Amino acid sequence: MKTFRWIFIFGFIIALGAAQIKAPLVLATEYGGLGGRPAHPIPGNNRSDSIFIHNIVPGQSIEDAVKVINNSAEDKTLLVYAADSVVSSGGAFACAQLAEAKKDVGTWITLSKQEVTLASLTSEDIPFTIQAPVNADVGEHNACILIQEKKAPATGEAQNGIILSFRTGIRVALTVPGEIVRRLEIAGFLLSKKNSSIYILKSSLKNTGNVSIDADMKVTVASFFGPILPSLGGQYPILRGQTTDLNFELPAPYWGGWYKASFTASYDASQNAAIGQNSGAPLTVLKSDGIWFFVYPSTQALMIEGGVILILLLLVIWLIWKLLRRRKIKKTWREYTCEKGANIKQLADSFKCSWKLLAKVNKIKAPYIIAAGTKIKIPPKPVDKVANKKKAEAEKNKNSK
Amino acid sequence: MLAVLIITAFQANAGTLTCAVATTCSSGVVLFKMQNTSNSHAGTTSSSYTQLVCCSGVIGLGTDCGAADKVKVIGLSATDNAHIEIGTQTNYANSACLSVPSGGSISASFQASACPEATVASMSTTTTNAHVGNGAAYVNQICASATGASGTLTADIVDGSGNSVGSPTVSMTSASVGFSCQTKTGTFGTSTQKIRVDNSTANPAWTLSVAASATTDLWNDGTPKYDFNDATGSGCTDGADADSYGGQMTPDPSVGTITPKSGCNNTGLSLGSATAFSEGTVNSVTIATAGASAGTSCYWDITGITMSQKIPVEQVPGSYSINYVVSVVAN
């Protein structure tokens, strides 16, 4: 009986465990964030998929809509509002804050609602009206539509430091037609060092026209000997009336040396061009002055370069020595007629030189047999310095008597 | 054996479905499992098999067979140790489905040629009672394609695992009351609070900037305050602005580091320059700009931005805070 009870308990535990293993099917989903985009992009203009682009005459009213998106895993209440555009540092596009009253183009935009609650993975189109004032001047005017999560102010434990919140914005680019001027100038090109392994190339473009221009910027760095490093750059919007600075990072070339950096900016200067639309006219290309700069090689490269230079130096020294020796041999070695039974080793010993040198100068190859009567070149007689000295002293004594 | 099928690099157009057979599925959904990568039996997601059929790349992608917009990709003869059949067959009771949010589209196809979009797996027969493997195992391909929810451009602070940080802050080094103006720094973007820009839209150009929630904001500890955008006296004294406090903050994004998502790169990205806030002149500081050559369906983590704050002479001790807004704008 006791055995059956333990069997029953054991079996129940196993069954319970098996039931836990067989979990219900889990539904998984891939989520994203919050944001928005134009609800009615212009066919054929890819830029209008991400920003609002309109031509508008003074006094005109245009209807559009923003698609507000919640790709997160939770329902969210979002604030949606229009704001003036502001220029961020370096001439970049930014938007005024929610707390700041609209004074400029932000006042042209009226949203049908400013708060929306969206379920997870849903979106809603919020209509808005753009009303251009009757005195709007020719050229481009920018504003923003922003989306941020509505959050209750933080309570409880006090925070210190910089407290961060986040929002997403969409540029609203409105062009009042008329005499459109599309003009850029190069405003500067500077090189600086970020750290021991990265340089920063700061390219500046100034827009002196009355509309923004999408400029293609290309920074080129070439070594003194010609090879060009992979170019840096891309296409960036240069806002009306602003100077835009763009910093491109250049990894320090491994081998070091002298390099020249320059940048070009190309854009469509035609009045018929617009945001996201080229006119088809040839592009205007601006080119900056070049900057020469020296990069120290990396430690490893320096060792390799040093080693190569040393080897080359030794090679040169060896070649020069060979040349000088050849000249000396040509100038000073004398002719000698070999006798019967001449042996190159014995000849070398008697003339006090290396048998290999003797063979090489006279082009004698293995087995180094020299026929009697063969004329060869041999080193000059060695100078007997002692005998010469005695002879000189004897002469001197003789003369002094 | 590693899956032959490689997940497509995320520089493809935003919202491109990709599937692969692997032992992990860190980002994406698991459709079903298999015992081996070829000549294998299959199991549902509750199976203990280790080879996972993982699909990703489409916002809102799910595996809900009850969703309005879904497709049955395969049927399984059991929840484990199962043979499979193509989704249009009805012999088997268990299903593996892909779903997308309402308004999206999802489809599956079964063919003996390369799949036009995502290769889910392959099977030993053309219809039913089949063994399964990864895309390279058999000629009979199981394919899927999808469009999901519209992508978004977002900025956030994430931790080292990529999870959103609930109440992100930037801490500054502490200061002592001094008889001279002093500079204290903090780092905006650390390994545990990284600035992440995530662009799952089809358009690459954006600007990331930081600004106070209002130009009249102040570092605040109740009564004691000091400024963040007064340039007077090199940021140390009060000027002609509306408040009566000195102090100036200078963010320096140029010393920061941009780390792209695996499979993406930093092409087209540019970090901003060191710039001090100055009321009425510089109200927003650019952290980074992405041009038309930047990637999409990518995210980038930015770390190491120095925030230098000038603190006026004899500033009252306290725990000060200020509200900043990080904006990412499609332009």
Side-chain angles (χ1 to χ4, degrees), chain A residues 305-316:
Chain A
E305 287 170 352
V308 169
I309 291 170
L310 184 63
I311 291 170
L312 287 172
L313 195 61
L314 290 172
L315 187 64
V316 166

Side-chain angles (χ1 to χ4, degrees), chain B residues 83 110 187 207 238 278 324:
Chain B
H83 284 190
F110 313 94
T187 301
T207 301
D238 179 39
S278 180
Y324 274 17

